[in-house]
PDB file of all heavy atoms in Angstrom:
ATOM      1  N   GLY A  63       2.998  13.992   1.600  1.00 67.00           N
ATOM      2  CA  GLY A  63       2.317  13.709   0.348  1.00 67.00           C
ATOM      3  C   GLY A  63       3.137  13.957  -0.894  1.00 67.00           C
ATOM      4  O   GLY A  63       2.626  13.865  -2.004  1.00 67.00           O
ATOM      5  N   VAL A  64       4.425  14.255  -0.720  1.00 73.00           N
ATOM      6  CA  VAL A  64       5.275  14.587  -1.867  1.00 73.00           C
ATOM      7  C   VAL A  64       6.436  13.605  -1.930  1.00 73.00           C
ATOM      8  O   VAL A  64       7.032  13.257  -0.907  1.00 73.00           O
ATOM      9  CB  VAL A  64       5.819  16.022  -1.739  1.00 73.00           C
ATOM     10  CG1 VAL A  64       6.744  16.349  -2.913  1.00 73.00           C
ATOM     11  CG2 VAL A  64       4.675  17.024  -1.677  1.00 73.00           C
ATOM     12  N   GLY A  65       6.770  13.161  -3.137  1.00 85.00           N
ATOM     13  CA  GLY A  65       7.926  12.304  -3.317  1.00 85.00           C
ATOM     14  C   GLY A  65       9.197  13.033  -2.946  1.00 85.00           C
ATOM     15  O   GLY A  65       9.441  14.151  -3.392  1.00 85.00           O
ATOM     16  N   SER A  66      10.007  12.407  -2.112  1.00 95.00           N
ATOM     17  CA  SER A  66      11.173  13.080  -1.553  1.00 95.00           C
ATOM     18  C   SER A  66      12.340  12.113  -1.422  1.00 95.00           C
ATOM     19  O   SER A  66      12.216  10.907  -1.651  1.00 95.00           O
ATOM     20  CB  SER A  66      10.833  13.664  -0.171  1.00 95.00           C
ATOM     21  OG  SER A  66       9.714  14.532  -0.247  1.00 95.00           O
ATOM     22  N   VAL A  67      13.473  12.678  -1.034  1.00 97.00           N
ATOM     23  CA  VAL A  67      14.680  11.899  -0.812  1.00 97.00           C
ATOM     24  C   VAL A  67      15.222  12.243   0.565  1.00 97.00           C
ATOM     25  O   VAL A  67      15.454  13.410   0.879  1.00 97.00           O
ATOM     26  CB  VAL A  67      15.750  12.200  -1.892  1.00 97.00           C
ATOM     27  CG1 VAL A  67      16.991  11.336  -1.661  1.00 97.00           C
ATOM     28  CG2 VAL A  67      15.186  11.969  -3.286  1.00 97.00           C
ATOM     29  N   LEU A  68      15.425  11.232   1.380  1.00 98.00           N
ATOM     30  CA  LEU A  68      16.028  11.413   2.699  1.00 98.00           C
ATOM     31  C   LEU A  68      17.524  11.232   2.509  1.00 98.00           C
ATOM     32  O   LEU A  68      17.975  10.203   2.014  1.00 98.00           O
ATOM     33  CB  LEU A  68      15.465  10.382   3.682  1.00 98.00           C
ATOM     34  CG  LEU A  68      15.455  10.752   5.169  1.00 98.00           C
ATOM     35  CD1 LEU A  68      14.572   9.786   5.945  1.00 98.00           C
ATOM     36  CD2 LEU A  68      16.843  10.767   5.761  1.00 98.00           C
ATOM     37  N   GLU A  69      18.297  12.244   2.889  1.00 98.00           N
ATOM     38  CA  GLU A  69      19.722  12.245   2.562  1.00 98.00           C
ATOM     39  C   GLU A  69      20.526  13.000   3.607  1.00 98.00           C
ATOM     40  O   GLU A  69      19.977  13.763   4.411  1.00 98.00           O
ATOM     41  CB  GLU A  69      19.940  12.886   1.191  1.00 98.00           C
ATOM     42  CG  GLU A  69      19.395  14.315   1.124  1.00 98.00           C
ATOM     43  CD  GLU A  69      19.646  14.998  -0.209  1.00 98.00           C
ATOM     44  OE1 GLU A  69      20.454  14.495  -1.007  1.00 98.00           O
ATOM     45  OE2 GLU A  69      19.040  16.061  -0.435  1.00 98.00           O
ATOM     46  N   ALA A  70      21.823  12.796   3.584  1.00 98.00           N
ATOM     47  CA  ALA A  70      22.760  13.589   4.393  1.00 98.00           C
ATOM     48  C   ALA A  70      23.598  14.409   3.429  1.00 98.00           C
ATOM     49  O   ALA A  70      24.292  13.856   2.572  1.00 98.00           O
ATOM     50  CB  ALA A  70      23.649  12.680   5.242  1.00 98.00           C
ATOM     51  N   THR A  71      23.517  15.736   3.533  1.00 95.00           N
ATOM     52  CA  THR A  71      24.218  16.621   2.609  1.00 95.00           C
ATOM     53  C   THR A  71      25.160  17.552   3.357  1.00 95.00           C
ATOM     54  O   THR A  71      24.932  17.879   4.524  1.00 95.00           O
ATOM     55  CB  THR A  71      23.235  17.477   1.792  1.00 95.00           C
ATOM     56  OG1 THR A  71      22.593  18.415   2.674  1.00 95.00           O
ATOM     57  CG2 THR A  71      22.185  16.611   1.133  1.00 95.00           C
ATOM     58  N   SER A  72      26.187  17.979   2.664  1.00 91.00           N
ATOM     59  CA  SER A  72      27.191  18.845   3.284  1.00 91.00           C
ATOM     60  C   SER A  72      26.646  20.234   3.590  1.00 91.00           C
ATOM     61  O   SER A  72      27.227  20.959   4.400  1.00 91.00           O
ATOM     62  CB  SER A  72      28.422  18.962   2.380  1.00 91.00           C
ATOM     63  OG  SER A  72      28.064  19.480   1.111  1.00 91.00           O
ATOM     64  N   ASP A  73      25.531  20.609   2.966  1.00 90.00           N
ATOM     65  CA  ASP A  73      24.976  21.945   3.223  1.00 90.00           C
ATOM     66  C   ASP A  73      23.713  21.919   4.065  1.00 90.00           C
ATOM     67  O   ASP A  73      23.051  22.945   4.224  1.00 90.00           O
ATOM     68  CB  ASP A  73      24.701  22.684   1.907  1.00 90.00           C
ATOM     69  CG  ASP A  73      23.660  21.972   1.047  1.00 90.00           C
ATOM     70  OD1 ASP A  73      23.307  20.814   1.366  1.00 90.00           O
ATOM     71  OD2 ASP A  73      23.212  22.568   0.062  1.00 90.00           O
ATOM     72  N   GLY A  74      23.363  20.741   4.621  1.00 91.00           N
ATOM     73  CA  GLY A  74      22.144  20.706   5.418  1.00 91.00           C
ATOM     74  C   GLY A  74      22.047  19.562   6.400  1.00 91.00           C
ATOM     75  O   GLY A  74      21.055  19.441   7.109  1.00 91.00           O
ATOM     76  N   GLY A  75      23.070  18.698   6.453  1.00 97.00           N
ATOM     77  CA  GLY A  75      22.996  17.546   7.329  1.00 97.00           C
ATOM     78  C   GLY A  75      21.934  16.569   6.858  1.00 97.00           C
ATOM     79  O   GLY A  75      21.591  16.521   5.677  1.00 97.00           O
ATOM     80  N   VAL A  76      21.399  15.788   7.780  1.00 98.00           N
ATOM     81  CA  VAL A  76      20.372  14.798   7.424  1.00 98.00           C
ATOM     82  C   VAL A  76      19.036  15.515   7.299  1.00 98.00           C
ATOM     83  O   VAL A  76      18.568  16.154   8.244  1.00 98.00           O
ATOM     84  CB  VAL A  76      20.287  13.680   8.479  1.00 98.00           C
ATOM     85  CG1 VAL A  76      19.239  12.652   8.067  1.00 98.00           C
ATOM     86  CG2 VAL A  76      21.645  13.000   8.657  1.00 98.00           C
ATOM     87  N   ARG A  77      18.424  15.407   6.141  1.00 97.00           N
ATOM     88  CA  ARG A  77      17.202  16.148   5.858  1.00 97.00           C
ATOM     89  C   ARG A  77      16.389  15.434   4.795  1.00 97.00           C
ATOM     90  O   ARG A  77      16.864  14.474   4.166  1.00 97.00           O
ATOM     91  CB  ARG A  77      17.542  17.548   5.362  1.00 97.00           C
ATOM     92  CG  ARG A  77      18.267  17.554   4.018  1.00 97.00           C
ATOM     93  CD  ARG A  77      18.629  18.947   3.560  1.00 97.00           C
ATOM     94  NE  ARG A  77      19.207  18.937   2.222  1.00 97.00           N
ATOM     95  CZ  ARG A  77      19.653  20.020   1.600  1.00 97.00           C
ATOM     96  NH1 ARG A  77      19.580  21.204   2.194  1.00 97.00           N
ATOM     97  NH2 ARG A  77      20.150  19.936   0.380  1.00 97.00           N
ATOM     98  N   VAL A  78      15.164  15.907   4.589  1.00 97.00           N
ATOM     99  CA  VAL A  78      14.307  15.406   3.513  1.00 97.00           C
ATOM    100  C   VAL A  78      14.260  16.467   2.416  1.00 97.00           C
ATOM    101  O   VAL A  78      13.970  17.634   2.674  1.00 97.00           O
ATOM    102  CB  VAL A  78      12.886  15.097   4.029  1.00 97.00           C
ATOM    103  CG1 VAL A  78      11.987  14.670   2.877  1.00 97.00           C
ATOM    104  CG2 VAL A  78      12.939  14.012   5.092  1.00 97.00           C
TER     105      VAL A  78
END
Side-chain angles (χ1 to χ4, degrees):
V64 178
S66 304
V67 182
L68 207 166
E69 58 178 346
T71 68
S72 58
D73 62 349
V76 181
R77 65 182 185 182
V78 176

